Amino acid sequence: MRILIKNASLVLEDRIERGDLLTNGRVIEQVGGNIESSADRVIDATGCYVFPGFIDTHTHFDLEVGTTVTADDFATGTKAAVVGGTTTVLDFATQERGMTLMDAFSKWENKAKNSSCNYGFHMAMSEWNEDRIAEIPRMIENGITSFKMYMVYDNMRLSDGVMYEAIKRLAKEDCVIGIHCENDDIIKARVKELKAAGKTASRYHAVSRPNVVEADGVGRLMDAAYLAGGPAWVVHLSTKEGLAIARRARERGQEVYLESCPQYLVLEESMYDAEDGAKFVMSPPLRSKADQEELLAAMGTGEIDWIGTDHCSFTMAQKAAGKDDFSKTPNGGAGVQNRAEIVYTRAVKGGCIDMVKMGQLMSTRAAKLFGMYPGKGTLRAGSDADIVIFDPDAPHVIRAATNLHNCDNSPYEGYTAAGMTRDVILNGTLVVENGALIASNKGEYVHRDRCGRYRK
Ligand code: URP
Ligand code: ZN
């Protein structure tokens, strides 16, 4: 199958170029200029931008959280992802205590079989001991070259010392480890205090985890990585204070990677007061306009490396578990479908970044760090034919009811996006046309190389 895209604004790594793009089977054959070639399908992209397929570095599909499981599994979550322009998700395979890393990998391989976009896994570890460490080479052989540890959640939390050891050990393999940065002890004390005062509504979720709670975690991560001599990767950065600490770490020569998410760019803490405030209960919580502005500016300067979603969806019935106690609300929100349109609307139309930077934040940097480049993350001859045609002039309102996710709510309900993903080519096949999913279950496992540590 050869697909010829005509009259596009091609988003290359350092510039926009007007011209055509030709795919041949699973790869891109030619990029730029006026391509006169026979093709099975010709797509007119006049007025549209053509990007390398977007990569979502942070999803939780089919994740068991306490006694409940996320509303989206891979079947539904990846349909929502691809229709929004995400051609690859990196989900967190999760090693529960007592489980081997290999068992967690097999479990996630099985969950992901019916995916409609490509998928790879980070390995979230809940233990760090000789047996788990001995499995790391096998993870790398299987294409898992990034890991995660949490400073919070009783079933996952590990100590700062473990993080120090893990960063040091994994750096030797050119693997990176993302850290969920929050101070668990302080959160627990504040939750107890708030509940004792009868403050149980959703808004107190944010009160229990103020900005300094994240900043403390970022600080401890930066110091651990400094002493370990390895990379520090902050997942879902949400605060100006955390950003300032990461900035100082870079100034002292550290290799720091920063991920943020759309919810920290457009949603605000005051939203917890809404009737359906529980849908915003996620960790870290929503912040202030001032935090949003700092994160957006840092996207413009290139200090934020990429944007993932942290898609972790729960229905309102599931969220109701916290109706009398915010701390019992399952944490997380739905967003995998809406990342590109929100980043475009808030950051590009808002004047913080241009389309080239959007390509970097949505695809190129993630492809580089997570060992997928130049197969993914770039439009060049020989690269994978994972391609997004994005219409910058397609105003529409985001609605949970029209999203393809399997969730009855969206934190972005009612948000007016200025543009949208129009068409998507996945592994050389047109799977989204005019905003509609026309082919599902075409996703494949992405066996990743060691990390391309571009800030080393
Ligand atoms: O609230 C969130 N983000 N839930 C998903 C797990 C995590 O903390 O990333
Ligand atoms: Zn997460």
Side-chain angles (χ1 to χ4, degrees), residues 58-60 92 148 150 180 235-236 283 310-312:
H58 195 142
T59 65
H60 301 278
F92 290 94
K148 182 181 184 182
Y150 292 83
H180 178 129
V235 299
H236 48 48
S283 296
D310 199 6
H311 181 99
C312 188

Side-chain angles (χ1 to χ4, degrees), residues 22 24 45 73 85 94 108 120-121 198 207 226 275 283 323 341 369 372 374 382 397 427 440 447:
L22 178 68
N24 187 356
D73 58 15
T94 299
W108 251 258
F121 308 121
V207 178
Y226 178 69
E275 205 184 323
S283 296
K323 71 178 171 21
E341 56 198 14
L369 184 66
M372 296 180 278
V397 178
N427 306 323
S440 45
H447 184 285

Side-chain angles (χ1 to χ4, degrees), residues 134-163:
E135 285 192 272
I136 289 168
R138 192 139 177 234
M139 288 297 103
I140 298 170
E141 275 164 32
N142 280 285
I144 296 186
T145 53
S146 48
F147 296 77
K148 182 181 184 182
M149 286 181 182
Y150 292 83
M151 290 182 178
V152 291
Y153 306 134
D154 287 340
N155 61 329
M156 295 300 292
R157 177 182 167 174
L158 290 168
S159 70
D160 293 2
V162 159
M163 269 168 250

Side-chain angles (χ1 to χ4, degrees), residues 210-233:
N211 286 27
V212 293
V213 160
E214 177 178 86
D216 168 81
V218 174
R220 282 185 285 126
L221 166 59
M222 292 306 144
D223 289 344
Y226 178 69
L227 295 171
W233 159 28

